[in-house]
C-alpha cells in the first residue's frame, strides 16, 4: 500500500520569501516520487521527480526537492517566491511493483502576496 | 506537439443520461489513466490501462466504465450519471518503467462535468 500526506492545504508566502511545501509518503517498496503543479483552469504538469538516483532533485521554475528516506519525506522548496508560483501543488508516489499505480496527496494551494 | 486531448472540456447533463468523455494521446504511451479531482480530496484514480485491451480498476471505479481498443484512445463512459459524479476529470498517459512503477504522467486539460 502507498499513501501521501501533504501538510497544509493552504500556504501563503510573500513575494521573495522561501517556499516550503511538505510531503510525507508511505510505501512498502522503493518509491518514485513526484511533484506536480496545477495552475488555475489547467491540467497538471510535472515539476520534478525522484527516481532513485540523486536525492536532491532540481525541477523547473527554480523548485527543488530532497528525498529523505529516514524521514519518508519529499518536501518541495524554492528560495524566492514569485507571483507566478501561485498554484496548487500535488505530491504523488508510485512504488516499485505497485502495478503502475500513482497515488496523489490532497494538494497544497500556494498563495503569493505582493 | 506531444499532448493529451480530452473532449468535451465542459459538460452539463442530467441524471441517467449516458455520456462519454474521450481521451486521446499522440505519444505512443502504453499506460493511460482517468482521475477525478474534487476539492479537498486531491486526484483519485478511476481506471487505468497498461495496454490495448488491458484495463483495471483504480480507487473509485463505481459508476464508470472504460475501454482501450486502440493504443491512443481511452474513453471514459458514464452509463447512468448521478449528481455525485459532478467533478473535474483528467486523463493522463505515460510510458511504463521496467520496475512496475509509473513514470512521468502527461495530463489532459480536464473535463468539467456537472450532473443535475
Amino acid at each position: 500500500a502507498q499513501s501521501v500526506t501533504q501538510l497544509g492545504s493552504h500556504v501563503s508566502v510573500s513575494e521573495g520569501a522561501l517556499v516550503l511545501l511538505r510531503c510525507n509518503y508511505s510505501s512498502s517498496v522503493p518509491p518514485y516520487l513526484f511533484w506536480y503543479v496545477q495552475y488555475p483552469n489547467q491540467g497538471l504538469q510535472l515539476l520534478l521527480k525522484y527516481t532513485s538516483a540523486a536525492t536532491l532533485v532540481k525541477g523547473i521554475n527554480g523548485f527543488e526537492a530532497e528525498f529523505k528516506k529516514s524521514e519518508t519525506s519529499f518536501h518541495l522548496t524554492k528560495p524566492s517566491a514569485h507571483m507566478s508560483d501561485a498554484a496548487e501543488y500535488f505530491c504523488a508516489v508510485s512504488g516499485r511493483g505497485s502495478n503502475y499505480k500513482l497515488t496523489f496527496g490532497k494538494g497544497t494551494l500556494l498563495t503569493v502576496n505582493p | 506537439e506531444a499532448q493529451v486531448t480530452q473532449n468535451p472540456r465542459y459538460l452539463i447533463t442530467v441524471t441517467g443520461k449516458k455520456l462519454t468523455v474521450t481521451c486521446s494521446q499522440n505519444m505512443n504511451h502504453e499506460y493511460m489513466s482517468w482521475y477525478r479531482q474534487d476539492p479537498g480530496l486531491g486526484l483519485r484514480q478511476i481506471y487505468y490501462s497498461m495496454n490495448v485491451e488491458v484495463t483495471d480498476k483504480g480507487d473509485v471505479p463505481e459508476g464508470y466504465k472504460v475501454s482501450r481498443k486502440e493504443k491512443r484512445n481511452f474513453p471514459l463512459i458514464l452509463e447512468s450519471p448521478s449528481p455525485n459524479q459532478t467533478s473535474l476529470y483528467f486523463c493522463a498517459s505515460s510510458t511504463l518503467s521496467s520496475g512496475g512503477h509509473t513514470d512521468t504522467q502527461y495530463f489532459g486539460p480536464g473535463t468539467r462535468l456537472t450532473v443535475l
Side-chain angles (χ1 to χ4, degrees), chain B residues 13-19 78-83 85 115-116:
Chain B
T13 189
V14 296
T15 299
K17 186 177 181 181
K18 181 178 179 180
L19 66 92
L78 285 73
E79 297 211 321
S80 184
S82 62
Q85 293 178 298
V115 183
L116 303 175

Side-chain angles (χ1 to χ4, degrees), chain B residues 41-63:
Chain B
L41 296 178
L43 278 84
R44 294 178 292 167
Q45 190 176 48
I46 303 171
Y47 269 95
Y48 65 96
S49 169
M50 289 192 282
N51 217 321
V52 175
E53 303 291 1
V54 180
T55 64
D56 207 348
K57 296 177 180 179
D59 295 319
V60 288
E62 294 77 20

